[in-house]
Amino acid sequence: MRPLTVALACALFASTAQALNPQVAPFIPSGFSMVEGKAVDLNGDGHTDRLLVIEDGTRPDGPRKLLVLLGGADGFRLSAEADSVLFCRECGGTWGDPLSSVQAGQGWIRINHDGGSGWRWGSSHTFSLRAGRWELTAQEQYRRSPERLETSYSVPPSECQNTDLTRFVCGISLPETLLVASKRAYFYQAPSPASRGSSYVIAGQQITVRKTYRTFVEASYLGEGGRSTHGFLRLADLKPVDF
């Protein structure tokens, strides 16, 4: 079961065939094909809008885009185009296509992914319409071990580098090694000050960073006996190795 998927009953959908009407087709670039299409009144103006997932069909790992088309008396206009919120068809590991579902309702869009193999992972990103812009308002992540032990956490939008749907960046994956600068650096269960745990590393110890947010990093520490501790550390507690 995919725990981050929300009941479809709360959204008004249409088939891909409905989305691919003559008024919508001109918005799909050459070389791209439809993956999924939704029809729903996104902005509450009484006109049916379109939410399209398209992909570059010229190669197996072709990038995907999310198009938001707002409807009106004269047809559709492109309201938003996002190319960093969707994973490619080949980006889910042995699980296959990672796109679990795209959901929408008046004023909101939710994108769900999951993938992996022995270890499973999943994410859910919710964007809300605010003053004409789609802004991230919720982000959930989960991991499940081969023993089916699951860890889930929320990433506050304030930790993202850019919350706008069209320029979305939340966590930069750039593996590196850092040193602990503080006397003690506590591990957090999520990139949030309210989730501090009891485990910590001490000054001078090296940690491996997996992903960097605004004020936290997702990191792991390999201790004696090969025991690994994984979680989130405050950037302020760390420094470069060559500092």
Side-chain angles (χ1 to χ4, degrees), residues 158-176:
S158 59
E159 279 297 315
C160 297
Q161 284 82 359
N162 198 318
T163 58
D164 188 293
L165 175 66
T166 62
R167 299 185 298 275
F168 180 66
V169 180
C170 194
I172 298 173
S173 298
L174 185 64
E176 62 176 328

PDB file of all heavy atoms in Angstrom, residues 158-176:
ATOM      1  N   SER A 158       9.706  25.915   4.707  1.00  0.00           N
ATOM      2  CA  SER A 158      10.746  26.903   5.005  1.00  0.00           C
ATOM      3  C   SER A 158      12.148  26.340   4.831  1.00  0.00           C
ATOM      4  O   SER A 158      13.111  27.093   4.724  1.00  0.00           O
ATOM      5  CB  SER A 158      10.580  27.428   6.430  1.00  0.00           C
ATOM      6  OG  SER A 158      10.666  26.368   7.373  1.00  0.00           O
ATOM      7  N   GLU A 159      12.282  24.994   4.799  1.00  0.00           N
ATOM      8  CA  GLU A 159      13.590  24.376   4.603  1.00  0.00           C
ATOM      9  C   GLU A 159      13.932  24.194   3.129  1.00  0.00           C
ATOM     10  O   GLU A 159      15.046  23.786   2.797  1.00  0.00           O
ATOM     11  CB  GLU A 159      13.650  23.016   5.314  1.00  0.00           C
ATOM     12  CG  GLU A 159      13.923  23.104   6.790  1.00  0.00           C
ATOM     13  CD  GLU A 159      15.283  23.723   7.101  1.00  0.00           C
ATOM     14  OE1 GLU A 159      16.268  23.342   6.445  1.00  0.00           O
ATOM     15  OE2 GLU A 159      15.360  24.580   7.992  1.00  0.00           O
ATOM     16  N   CYS A 160      12.981  24.486   2.244  1.00  0.00           N
ATOM     17  CA  CYS A 160      13.217  24.314   0.812  1.00  0.00           C
ATOM     18  C   CYS A 160      13.923  25.539   0.238  1.00  0.00           C
ATOM     19  O   CYS A 160      13.682  26.670   0.658  1.00  0.00           O
ATOM     20  CB  CYS A 160      11.901  24.095   0.077  1.00  0.00           C
ATOM     21  SG  CYS A 160      11.038  22.591   0.590  1.00  0.00           S
ATOM     22  N   GLN A 161      14.767  25.297  -0.768  1.00  0.00           N
ATOM     23  CA  GLN A 161      15.480  26.394  -1.407  1.00  0.00           C
ATOM     24  C   GLN A 161      14.559  27.254  -2.259  1.00  0.00           C
ATOM     25  O   GLN A 161      14.763  28.458  -2.388  1.00  0.00           O
ATOM     26  CB  GLN A 161      16.630  25.839  -2.259  1.00  0.00           C
ATOM     27  CG  GLN A 161      17.840  25.380  -1.463  1.00  0.00           C
ATOM     28  CD  GLN A 161      17.685  23.976  -0.896  1.00  0.00           C
ATOM     29  OE1 GLN A 161      16.658  23.329  -1.084  1.00  0.00           O
ATOM     30  NE2 GLN A 161      18.708  23.483  -0.212  1.00  0.00           N
ATOM     31  N   ASN A 162      13.534  26.654  -2.854  1.00  0.00           N
ATOM     32  CA  ASN A 162      12.541  27.405  -3.641  1.00  0.00           C
ATOM     33  C   ASN A 162      11.230  26.637  -3.612  1.00  0.00           C
ATOM     34  O   ASN A 162      11.180  25.474  -4.010  1.00  0.00           O
ATOM     35  CB  ASN A 162      13.014  27.594  -5.082  1.00  0.00           C
ATOM     36  CG  ASN A 162      12.265  28.710  -5.796  1.00  0.00           C
ATOM     37  OD1 ASN A 162      11.053  28.843  -5.662  1.00  0.00           O
ATOM     38  ND2 ASN A 162      12.977  29.524  -6.547  1.00  0.00           N
ATOM     39  N   THR A 163      10.166  27.268  -3.153  1.00  0.00           N
ATOM     40  CA  THR A 163       8.873  26.589  -3.005  1.00  0.00           C
ATOM     41  C   THR A 163       7.918  26.836  -4.166  1.00  0.00           C
ATOM     42  O   THR A 163       6.821  26.288  -4.189  1.00  0.00           O
ATOM     43  CB  THR A 163       8.184  27.041  -1.699  1.00  0.00           C
ATOM     44  OG1 THR A 163       8.003  28.467  -1.719  1.00  0.00           O
ATOM     45  CG2 THR A 163       9.018  26.652  -0.484  1.00  0.00           C
ATOM     46  N   ASP A 164       8.310  27.659  -5.128  1.00  0.00           N
ATOM     47  CA  ASP A 164       7.461  27.925  -6.291  1.00  0.00           C
ATOM     48  C   ASP A 164       7.436  26.687  -7.190  1.00  0.00           C
ATOM     49  O   ASP A 164       8.476  26.110  -7.501  1.00  0.00           O
ATOM     50  CB  ASP A 164       8.004  29.127  -7.063  1.00  0.00           C
ATOM     51  CG  ASP A 164       7.068  29.582  -8.169  1.00  0.00           C
ATOM     52  OD1 ASP A 164       6.885  28.829  -9.151  1.00  0.00           O
ATOM     53  OD2 ASP A 164       6.519  30.686  -8.067  1.00  0.00           O
ATOM     54  N   LEU A 165       6.255  26.281  -7.627  1.00  0.00           N
ATOM     55  CA  LEU A 165       6.099  25.088  -8.453  1.00  0.00           C
ATOM     56  C   LEU A 165       6.985  25.140  -9.691  1.00  0.00           C
ATOM     57  O   LEU A 165       7.567  24.125 -10.095  1.00  0.00           O
ATOM     58  CB  LEU A 165       4.632  24.931  -8.862  1.00  0.00           C
ATOM     59  CG  LEU A 165       4.301  23.796  -9.836  1.00  0.00           C
ATOM     60  CD1 LEU A 165       4.540  22.433  -9.191  1.00  0.00           C
ATOM     61  CD2 LEU A 165       2.849  23.909 -10.312  1.00  0.00           C
ATOM     62  N   THR A 166       7.109  26.313 -10.308  1.00  0.00           N
ATOM     63  CA  THR A 166       7.841  26.414 -11.568  1.00  0.00           C
ATOM     64  C   THR A 166       9.360  26.418 -11.389  1.00  0.00           C
ATOM     65  O   THR A 166      10.091  26.219 -12.356  1.00  0.00           O
ATOM     66  CB  THR A 166       7.430  27.688 -12.333  1.00  0.00           C
ATOM     67  OG1 THR A 166       7.767  28.841 -11.545  1.00  0.00           O
ATOM     68  CG2 THR A 166       5.931  27.691 -12.594  1.00  0.00           C
ATOM     69  N   ARG A 167       9.834  26.644 -10.170  1.00  0.00           N
ATOM     70  CA  ARG A 167      11.282  26.676  -9.902  1.00  0.00           C
ATOM     71  C   ARG A 167      11.621  25.846  -8.667  1.00  0.00           C
ATOM     72  O   ARG A 167      12.567  26.136  -7.945  1.00  0.00           O
ATOM     73  CB  ARG A 167      11.759  28.126  -9.711  1.00  0.00           C
ATOM     74  CG  ARG A 167      11.537  29.009 -10.904  1.00  0.00           C
ATOM     75  CD  ARG A 167      12.139  30.405 -10.698  1.00  0.00           C
ATOM     76  NE  ARG A 167      11.525  31.091  -9.576  1.00  0.00           N
ATOM     77  CZ  ARG A 167      10.394  31.796  -9.648  1.00  0.00           C
ATOM     78  NH1 ARG A 167       9.749  31.880 -10.803  1.00  0.00           N
ATOM     79  NH2 ARG A 167       9.910  32.412  -8.590  1.00  0.00           N
ATOM     80  N   PHE A 168      10.878  24.788  -8.449  1.00  0.00           N
ATOM     81  CA  PHE A 168      10.922  24.035  -7.202  1.00  0.00           C
ATOM     82  C   PHE A 168      12.285  23.383  -6.947  1.00  0.00           C
ATOM     83  O   PHE A 168      12.819  22.665  -7.792  1.00  0.00           O
ATOM     84  CB  PHE A 168       9.834  22.961  -7.216  1.00  0.00           C
ATOM     85  CG  PHE A 168       9.797  22.124  -5.980  1.00  0.00           C
ATOM     86  CD1 PHE A 168       9.459  22.685  -4.767  1.00  0.00           C
ATOM     87  CD2 PHE A 168      10.104  20.775  -6.033  1.00  0.00           C
ATOM     88  CE1 PHE A 168       9.418  21.925  -3.614  1.00  0.00           C
ATOM     89  CE2 PHE A 168      10.067  19.994  -4.893  1.00  0.00           C
ATOM     90  CZ  PHE A 168       9.720  20.567  -3.684  1.00  0.00           C
ATOM     91  N   VAL A 169      12.836  23.668  -5.760  1.00  0.00           N
ATOM     92  CA  VAL A 169      14.046  23.012  -5.273  1.00  0.00           C
ATOM     93  C   VAL A 169      13.861  22.790  -3.778  1.00  0.00           C
ATOM     94  O   VAL A 169      13.669  23.749  -3.025  1.00  0.00           O
ATOM     95  CB  VAL A 169      15.322  23.855  -5.508  1.00  0.00           C
ATOM     96  CG1 VAL A 169      16.545  23.107  -4.966  1.00  0.00           C
ATOM     97  CG2 VAL A 169      15.513  24.183  -6.972  1.00  0.00           C
ATOM     98  N   CYS A 170      13.929  21.541  -3.344  1.00  0.00           N
ATOM     99  CA  CYS A 170      13.799  21.264  -1.908  1.00  0.00           C
ATOM    100  C   CYS A 170      14.745  20.139  -1.528  1.00  0.00           C
ATOM    101  O   CYS A 170      14.437  18.959  -1.675  1.00  0.00           O
ATOM    102  CB  CYS A 170      12.359  20.891  -1.553  1.00  0.00           C
ATOM    103  SG  CYS A 170      12.071  20.939   0.236  1.00  0.00           S
ATOM    104  N   GLY A 171      15.915  20.530  -1.094  1.00  0.00           N
ATOM    105  CA  GLY A 171      16.944  19.564  -0.772  1.00  0.00           C
ATOM    106  C   GLY A 171      17.836  19.320  -1.965  1.00  0.00           C
ATOM    107  O   GLY A 171      17.379  18.883  -3.017  1.00  0.00           O
ATOM    108  N   ILE A 172      19.113  19.631  -1.814  1.00  0.00           N
ATOM    109  CA  ILE A 172      20.077  19.450  -2.894  1.00  0.00           C
ATOM    110  C   ILE A 172      20.894  18.195  -2.612  1.00  0.00           C
ATOM    111  O   ILE A 172      21.545  18.089  -1.574  1.00  0.00           O
ATOM    112  CB  ILE A 172      20.999  20.671  -3.015  1.00  0.00           C
ATOM    113  CG1 ILE A 172      20.176  21.919  -3.346  1.00  0.00           C
ATOM    114  CG2 ILE A 172      22.068  20.444  -4.069  1.00  0.00           C
ATOM    115  CD1 ILE A 172      20.966  23.206  -3.323  1.00  0.00           C
ATOM    116  N   SER A 173      20.820  17.232  -3.521  1.00  0.00           N
ATOM    117  CA  SER A 173      21.565  15.982  -3.366  1.00  0.00           C
ATOM    118  C   SER A 173      22.989  16.168  -3.886  1.00  0.00           C
ATOM    119  O   SER A 173      23.228  16.153  -5.086  1.00  0.00           O
ATOM    120  CB  SER A 173      20.864  14.846  -4.117  1.00  0.00           C
ATOM    121  OG  SER A 173      19.579  14.614  -3.587  1.00  0.00           O
ATOM    122  N   LEU A 174      23.897  16.356  -2.964  1.00  0.00           N
ATOM    123  CA  LEU A 174      25.294  16.551  -3.320  1.00  0.00           C
ATOM    124  C   LEU A 174      26.148  15.907  -2.222  1.00  0.00           C
ATOM    125  O   LEU A 174      26.495  16.544  -1.234  1.00  0.00           O
ATOM    126  CB  LEU A 174      25.624  18.045  -3.438  1.00  0.00           C
ATOM    127  CG  LEU A 174      27.039  18.390  -3.914  1.00  0.00           C
ATOM    128  CD1 LEU A 174      27.245  17.883  -5.338  1.00  0.00           C
ATOM    129  CD2 LEU A 174      27.266  19.894  -3.867  1.00  0.00           C
ATOM    130  N   PRO A 175      26.445  14.604  -2.368  1.00  0.00           N
ATOM    131  CA  PRO A 175      27.184  13.889  -1.321  1.00  0.00           C
ATOM    132  C   PRO A 175      28.516  14.565  -0.999  1.00  0.00           C
ATOM    133  O   PRO A 175      29.270  14.931  -1.895  1.00  0.00           O
ATOM    134  CB  PRO A 175      27.406  12.503  -1.943  1.00  0.00           C
ATOM    135  CG  PRO A 175      26.323  12.362  -2.958  1.00  0.00           C
ATOM    136  CD  PRO A 175      26.110  13.745  -3.505  1.00  0.00           C
ATOM    137  N   GLU A 176      28.788  14.748   0.285  1.00  0.00           N
ATOM    138  CA  GLU A 176      30.052  15.327   0.730  1.00  0.00           C
ATOM    139  C   GLU A 176      30.298  14.925   2.173  1.00  0.00           C
ATOM    140  O   GLU A 176      29.402  14.442   2.866  1.00  0.00           O
ATOM    141  CB  GLU A 176      30.033  16.854   0.604  1.00  0.00           C
ATOM    142  CG  GLU A 176      28.980  17.529   1.464  1.00  0.00           C
ATOM    143  CD  GLU A 176      29.045  19.047   1.395  1.00  0.00           C
ATOM    144  OE1 GLU A 176      30.158  19.585   1.221  1.00  0.00           O
ATOM    145  OE2 GLU A 176      27.998  19.692   1.512  1.00  0.00           O
TER     146      GLU A 176
END
